Amino acid sequence: MDFTFTEEQQAAVEAARAVFADVAPDGVPSPALTPGAVADDFDRPLWAKLAASDLLSLVLAEELGGAGLDAVALCLVLREAARVLARVPLLEHCATAMAVQAHGSPELAAALLPGAGRGTLVLTAAAHGRSGHDPAELAVIARREGEAWILEGTQTAVPWAHGADWIAVPAHTGEGEAVLALVPRTADGLALAEQVSTSGERLAELALDGVRVAGTHLIETPGAWERLRQLLATGTCALALGLGENVLTMTSGYTGKREQFGFPVATFQAVAVQAADRYIDLRAMEVTLWQAAWRLDAATGGAGGPLPSSGDVAVAKIWASEGVRRVVQTAQHLHGGFGADTDYPLHRYHAWAKQLELQLGPAAAHEEALGDLLAAHPLA
C-alpha cells in the first residue's frame, strides 16, 4: 500500500502555503477584544488570492476550469488554512460546489460553478438545523408547487451567510430522503438574523417564509445531502487538525525558551509528558481524518466497508472534537498567564478550537451516531 499523497495533492498544499504565508494569526480579529461579531464580512482580499491561485476551483472538473481533485486534496488545503486562522468560507464553498457538481441539474451547475471556481460567487451551506442538535433536514419543509418548490422553516448558525451569494438548504418533503435546495441570499421570503460564533465570526439564523425555488435548483438525488453533511464534518476535522498542529508548535517553541530554575520548562518531565500526550492526540486526529476523507472519495467509486462512510466520519469527528479541545487546553496550561495575553494569538486559537469542537455536533453526538451504526451493521 502507498499512503503518500499524489503529486497533484502535494501541489495543492504548496499553493495553499504560498497563499497563507502572508496571513498573521495575531492580526486576526479577536473575539476577546471585539463586542459582537469580529467583522461584517470574511477576508475578501485573501479570498481573491485563493481564486487567483486556482484553489477555489480545486475540486471542480477540468471542463469547468478546475483541477478535478478530491476530498483528500480539499482537506489538505483546509489544514493549511486553519494553521493561520484564515477567515474564508473555503470549506462550505468547496463542499457545496462538489455537491452541485455531483448531483445538481445542468442548469444549476451552469449557473453556479463557473462563478464559484473564479471566486466571484460565494457558496455556503446550512447544516445545523433549528438548534444544532436536531437533523438539519428536518428544520425546513419543501413542498412542490407546479414546477417549483416552496420552502418553510428555520436554519440556525449558518456560517458566512451574510457574505454568501447562494445557500445550500437541506429540507424534507414528508416522504423519502432529504432534498437539497440552492437558494440565493436575496430570495423573496428569506431573512437573515445575526448570530455570533464562539470564534467571533458572524453567523446567521436563516428564516424561510414561502421561499420559491425553481425545480432545477433543487437536488432530489438520494444521499446528496448526507454526502454534503459528511464532507462538511470531515472538512471540520481537517480544520481542527491544522489548528491543533500549529498550537502544539507554538507551545513547543514557548516551553523551549521559557526557563525556570535555570532550565527550559520543556525539559521538565511533567511538561514533556503533557506535550507528548497531545502529540498522540494529533496523530490520532490525522489518521482518522484521512480514513474518513478516503472513504468519501472511495464511496464515489463504489468501494465499501464494514460500515457506511458515515461511521468513519463519526470516528474522525469524535477524535477532532476531543483532541483539539485537549490540545488548546494543554497549550493554555503550559503557556501560563502568557497564553491569556491578548497580544499573543493563543487565545484566538482557543476560541476557534471551541467552535470547531462543537461545529456539526460535539463528540457525544457522533458517539451516539456511531453506536446506532454499529447496532444496525453487526461486524461479525
Side-chain angles (χ1 to χ4, degrees):
M1 293 184 180
D2 184 0
F3 294 102
T4 58
F5 298 112
T6 66
E7 290 185 6
E8 292 81 3
Q9 291 166 345
Q10 291 170 347
V13 172
E14 293 303 317
R17 286 175 179 167
V19 171
F20 296 130
D22 295 331
V23 180
D26 54 0
V28 173
S30 166
L33 301 176
T34 311
V38 296
D40 292 334
D41 200 5
F42 58 85
D43 190 339
R44 293 281 179 172
L46 179 58
W47 188 252
K49 291 181 181 179
L50 289 167
S53 299
D54 296 325
L55 289 170
L56 299 183
S57 59
L58 188 73
V59 295
L60 297 182
E62 293 181 6
E63 55 266 27
L64 292 168
L69 296 184
D70 51 17
V72 171
L74 175 59
C75 287
L76 284 166
V77 174
L78 290 169
R79 182 187 192 178
E80 297 303 317
R83 294 183 193 275
V84 297
L85 305 181
R87 300 183 53 259
V88 287
L90 186 60
L91 167 58
E92 295 79 10
H93 180 84
C94 291
T96 302
M98 291 177 76
V100 171
Q101 178 174 248
H103 306 293
S105 66
E107 294 86 351
L108 181 61
L112 300 189
L113 297 184
R118 294 191 300 269
T120 57
L121 186 150
V122 181
L123 309 176
T124 191
H128 287 90
R130 283 183 292 266
S131 66
H133 299 285
D134 55 328
E137 65 272 19
L138 300 182
V140 175
I141 299 172
R143 55 182 173 84
R144 192 185 295 271
E145 188 175 279
E147 296 297 318
W149 291 80
I150 305 299
L151 303 182
E152 303 274 356
T154 301
Q155 294 276 358
T156 193
V158 182
W160 315 109
H162 293 277
D165 298 292
W166 289 77
I167 305 170
V169 181
H172 71 95
T173 62
E175 58 184 43
E177 293 198 39
V179 296
L180 188 63
L182 274 295
V183 184
R185 177 175 52 82
T186 56
D188 291 339
L190 186 151
L192 300 178
E194 183 172 286
Q195 297 176 314
V196 180
S197 73
T198 304
S199 61
E201 295 298 335
R202 197 180 185 198
L203 305 177
E205 181 183 79
L206 182 71
L208 302 112
D209 184 10
V211 174
R212 179 176 293 271
V213 176
T216 55
H217 287 186
L218 188 131
I219 298 173
E220 298 182 71
T221 307
W225 159 241
E226 174 61 16
R227 176 169 170 79
L228 174 55
R229 187 192 66 80
Q230 290 182 32
L231 184 55
L232 290 169
T234 304
T236 301
C237 297
L239 293 170
L241 176 63
L243 184 150
E245 287 177 328
N246 205 55
V247 166
L248 190 61
T249 299
M250 291 168 58
T251 305
S252 175
Y254 176 78
T255 57
K257 295 178 181 177
R258 176 75 166 88
E259 291 190 358
Q260 285 186 356
F261 311 111
F263 296 94
V265 297
T267 62
F268 298 168
Q269 186 177 30
V271 172
V273 166
Q274 290 182 70
D277 285 343
R278 300 297 76 84
Y279 177 82
I280 293 170
D281 277 335
L282 289 171
R283 297 291 68 79
M285 291 166 64
E286 183 177 20
V287 71
T288 54
L289 163 66
W290 300 132
Q291 171 71 9
W294 175 81
R295 280 298 307 277
L296 287 180
D297 290 331
T300 62
L307 289 178
S309 58
S310 55
D312 298 276
V313 174
V315 171
K317 188 58 169 69
I318 291 166
W319 270 106
S321 292
E322 296 285 355
V324 77
R325 174 178 54 78
R326 288 193 291 260
V327 167
V328 294
Q329 286 178 344
T330 297
Q332 187 71 64
H333 174 63
L334 296 183
H335 275 83
F338 189 61
D341 189 336
T342 54
D343 290 330
Y344 187 67
L346 183 58
H347 76 284
R348 294 171 173 83
Y349 282 94
H350 204 147
W352 279 57
K354 178 55 67 175
Q355 178 65 31
L356 293 172
E357 176 192 348
L358 302 178
Q359 191 164 299
L360 296 171
H366 291 274
E367 288 167 351
E368 183 177 350
L370 182 60
D372 290 340
L373 281 172
L374 290 170
H377 298 82
L379 300 181

